[in-house]
Amino acid sequence: MEYTGLHSAFPEGKQLSLFDSPAERYLKARRSVQQFTVCQLGLSIFSSEKSNKYVAHSYNFFLFPTMFGALDSEFSFQASSIQFLTHYGFDYNKFLKDGIPYMNEVQEKKLQQELFAGNWKVRSTLDKDRLKVVIDEVTRWVSSAEEGESMVVSDLTGFQIFEVQLILRRALPGIWTKPFGDSEVIVEKMNPRHRWHLENTSCDFCRKEFILLSAQGFTSLFQTLVKAKKPLVGHNMLMDLLHLHEKFYRPLPESYEEFKTNIHSLFPVIIDTKNVTKSIWKELKFPRACNLLETYEILCSDLNPTNPTCPVISHASDCSKYAEGKYPHEAAYDAFLCGSVLLKVAHLLLCRMPCDTKENGPSFSQYLNVLAKYLNQVNLIRASVSKINFSGADVSSRHLPLLIASVQGWPGVNEEQIYQELKGLCRFDVRQLTKNQFLLLSNNFKNVRVVLEDYKDYPNLRISFYHYWRHSPQVNCLLQFWGFYQRICDFYERTRIPDDDAF
């Protein structure tokens, strides 16, 4: 997917952090997904034509939220995202003018209630102005037209096709309307009895059921994908899954566990190629890949010892564009790269296992078997876990040692000030532990070594290794309570009257 923005501006102290639990990271990502929208979705469908040969059918869908009746979505643009996509040739005219509509279940129910109750309204000022002109033209024409005569209303866009017909039919009982092409409506003067007959046949393309289906737009294809239950493949795909849920299924729930359950129900088999390649890349001694295209090119090169026997992947005849050049960050091209990387990595893993494959090549079921431990595991960037498990419990990651910064003579110090203090030297995520103590976490061992050396004897800020039994507020509280309890016991023993002197 391509979006109008990636990460919303976080309040102070709420940035993405290595301290984030999966639930905390979900809530941060949820906020961004609710603020931005999907402008392009790429789908590449891989089919096995022959053994060890696959054909990829790749499609780009420019999307724009449904605007009809009460549905009028709000979303933001992020300057950096716009600049990034513009650099790669993204066509914003197609997104804004020709985007396919979509909506989630809640929006669909709202529109359905409006349509069948007959109380929908035109919200857009542009649509209102255009509709006023059309109504005036048709009203003047119908007063002098004979039964059976017709006129054409032109230059309509999007849902104006339906809005014009619904309004004209409501206002003028002696006419009939039908769409003609993508931008025109034919208006015919007609006997009301004949019109009633047409309204109750399946030939009426302005029936409320048909309008609802048109308003669903891409959501209908999403529902088809859900029903198909095919493996869903992406690269660093957490944000993709969040947008799929929010835009085409239901608004994202507040509960992280409910989100995981919903996604697993929609797509029982998810494979994140970032999670797979990250797990095996160093072991295979491949050079560092900074993005999906570089990962694909390394797997297609001589650096991959199994490349000569890898599955043959070709483009469908109507997708030859991608066979002739590279189109990074065009959604369908990236989708094709995801599927190709998956097949090549699966083949590489299978070849390393002591098992026999058929002479004419391994099957896709064998590939799925070798990828079993990676299924439903989605990569999570810079958090307390390295991946989200959509079919089970998340497992904590092993980070570098936790450090503690102890502050003296710095009243009112906060996390942001500690972060800025260290920023010039190295990068650490900061989380406040007590009034004058802060936890530090980095994923770079060099950073740990540098701050331990530079701030070992610093007068106002001392940094050392964190030890739970020494630094935990809970443990210190317990020890203080135990010390207080011991003093009470000692005092009682010293002041207790001996039994022999008791009255």
Side-chain angles (χ1 to χ4, degrees):
M1 293 184 186
E2 302 298 342
Y3 320 114
T4 59
L6 190 58
H7 296 299
S8 57
F10 297 106
E12 185 178 316
K14 298 296 183 182
Q15 295 87 352
L16 303 185
S17 166
L18 288 167
F19 290 103
D20 288 345
S21 68
E24 289 173 325
R25 178 60 56 83
Y26 166 72
L27 291 176
K28 291 179 180 180
R30 175 178 178 257
R31 183 172 179 266
S32 297
V33 168
Q34 291 171 335
Q35 181 173 344
F36 303 114
T37 196
V38 179
C39 48
Q40 189 184 60
L41 186 146
L43 183 64
S44 194
I45 302 169
F46 283 69
S47 58
S48 181
E49 299 292 313
K50 296 178 182 178
S51 182
N52 214 35
K53 291 185 179 180
Y54 294 82
V55 175
H57 301 258
S58 303
Y59 306 93
N60 276 313
F61 300 91
F62 287 89
L63 305 177
F64 196 83
T66 295
M67 291 189 304
F68 188 78
L71 299 185
D72 190 8
S73 301
E74 296 181 7
F75 59 86
S76 302
F77 284 89
Q78 195 168 33
S80 57
S81 294
I82 302 306
Q83 184 184 52
F84 177 84
L85 290 179
T86 301
H87 175 75
Y88 287 100
F90 186 82
D91 190 340
Y92 279 96
N93 281 325
K94 283 190 176 181
F95 159 54
L96 295 169
K97 294 176 65 177
D98 304 322
I100 302 168
Y102 63 85
M103 57 184 173
N104 60 36
E105 289 182 1
V106 173
Q107 293 169 321
E108 181 182 347
K109 185 176 181 181
K110 184 177 181 180
L111 179 58
Q112 188 177 30
Q113 290 172 343
E114 276 195 349
L115 278 172
F116 286 89
N119 58 1
W120 61 275
K121 296 179 181 179
V122 178
R123 299 293 200 281
S124 166
T125 302
L126 179 66
D127 290 346
K128 286 179 180 179
D129 293 343
R130 179 72 183 112
L131 291 172
K132 186 178 183 303
V133 172
V134 169
I135 291 169
D136 289 344
E137 288 179 357
V138 174
T139 302
R140 286 195 300 269
W141 167 81
V142 78
S143 62
S144 59
E146 298 290 333
E147 189 171 317
E149 290 184 345
S150 62
M151 67 169 290
V152 176
V153 179
S154 305
D155 300 324
L156 302 173
T157 60
F159 284 96
Q160 288 179 353
I161 293 280
F162 295 114
E163 290 172 334
V164 162
Q165 296 183 81
L166 290 171
I167 288 175
L168 289 176
R169 290 184 186 187
R170 182 190 293 175
L172 303 169
I175 60 128
W176 178 248
T177 63
K178 57 184 176 182
F180 182 72
D182 295 329
S183 60
E184 295 180 331
V185 167
I186 295 175
V187 182
E188 181 181 349
K189 190 164 184 178
M190 182 176 289
N191 183 290
R193 184 174 295 179
H194 187 196
R195 168 177 159 165
W196 178 87
H197 174 72
L198 290 175
E199 284 178 334
N200 290 277
T201 67
S202 58
C203 299
D204 183 8
F205 289 102
C206 202
R207 293 174 66 188
K208 294 178 175 62
E209 295 85 354
F210 186 79
I211 294 175
L212 195 62
L213 183 63
S214 298
Q216 283 181 332
F218 184 84
T219 304
S220 298
L221 180 54
F222 168 79
Q223 292 168 352
T224 301
L225 294 174
V226 170
K227 291 176 183 176
K229 300 300 180 189
K230 298 294 182 182
L232 185 69
V233 183
H235 188 81
N236 245 346
M237 62 190 299
L238 176 59
M239 296 302 288
D240 296 328
L241 294 173
L242 286 160
H243 275 285
L244 285 174
H245 193 298
E246 171 80 13
K247 303 302 189 293
F248 313 119
Y249 180 52
R250 295 172 187 166
L252 286 165
E254 291 187 12
S255 166
Y256 165 65
E257 291 299 332
E258 184 180 345
F259 162 69
K260 284 175 57 175
T261 301
N262 290 348
I263 288 295
H264 189 54
S265 174
L266 294 169
F267 302 104
V269 180
I270 296 172
I271 309 173
D272 186 348
T273 53
K274 176 65 176 180
N275 178 53
V276 180
T277 54
K278 186 174 72 173
S279 301
I280 66 172
W281 216 247
K282 286 185 179 179
E283 182 185 347
L284 296 171
K285 298 181 179 178
F286 286 154
R288 185 171 179 264
C290 297
N291 53 53
L292 177 59
L293 179 57
E294 289 183 11
T295 302
Y296 171 75
E297 289 176 336
I298 290 171
L299 290 170
C300 290
S301 71
D302 293 337
L303 294 171
N304 179 4
T306 65
N307 191 46
T309 62
C310 270
V312 176
I313 304 169
S314 59
H315 295 278
S317 57
D318 56 349
C319 308
S320 57
K321 167 186 174 181
Y322 295 151
E324 299 164 359
K326 301 174 185 177
Y327 298 87
H329 304 292
E330 185 169 293
Y333 182 71
D334 285 353
F336 163 75
L337 294 182
C338 282
S340 301
V341 166
L342 176 77
L343 289 172
K344 290 179 178 294
V345 167
H347 185 78
L348 193 156
L349 292 173
L350 188 63
C351 289
R352 299 175 74 211
M353 294 185 67
C355 61
D356 295 327
T357 59
K358 296 180 180 178
E359 293 182 2
N360 56 358
S363 65
F364 186 69
S365 60
Q366 287 177 295
Y367 287 152
L368 277 182
N369 288 338
V370 80
L371 290 167
K373 70 177 183 178
Y374 303 105
L375 300 185
N376 301 316
Q377 314 262 335
V378 172
N379 186 58
L380 189 58
I381 300 172
R382 202 172 181 81
S384 62
V385 302
S386 61
K387 55 196 173 187
I388 290 177
N389 183 1
F390 281 90
S391 56
D394 300 320
V395 179
S396 297
S397 301
R398 290 185 178 180
H399 288 296
L400 292 176
L402 191 62
L403 305 183
I404 186 167
S406 300
V407 180
Q408 291 180 344
W410 195 349
V413 63
N414 57 37
E415 293 177 359
E416 181 64 22
Q417 289 173 309
I418 297 294
Y419 176 81
Q420 293 298 333
E421 167 71 22
L422 301 175
K423 186 179 177 182
L425 189 65
C426 50
R427 181 179 177 183
F428 274 87
D429 289 337
V430 183
R431 180 158 291 187
Q432 191 157 12
L433 182 66
T434 65
K435 182 180 179 181
N436 295 311
Q437 290 183 313
F438 297 83
L439 297 177
L440 308 177
L441 199 54
S442 174
N443 54 7
N444 187 319
F445 187 75
K446 181 181 177 182
N447 292 346
V448 174
R449 194 170 57 222
V450 167
V451 297
L452 284 174
E453 183 63 31
D454 283 28
Y455 286 90
K456 183 171 58 177
D457 299 313
Y458 202 77
N460 299 106
L461 180 63
R462 293 189 178 184
I463 298 176
S464 59
F465 287 113
Y466 172 83
H467 297 286
Y468 177 78
W469 293 106
R470 184 189 303 169
H471 298 116
S472 169
Q474 291 83 3
V475 172
N476 285 332
C477 181
L478 181 62
L479 292 176
Q480 288 174 11
F481 174 79
W482 180 253
F484 177 73
Y485 174 75
Q486 287 293 106
R487 287 197 296 273
I488 291 292
C489 291
D490 291 343
F491 176 77
Y492 174 75
E493 286 296 326
R494 289 197 302 270
T495 59
R496 184 172 65 88
I497 299 173
D499 291 340
D500 294 344
D501 297 334
F503 291 98

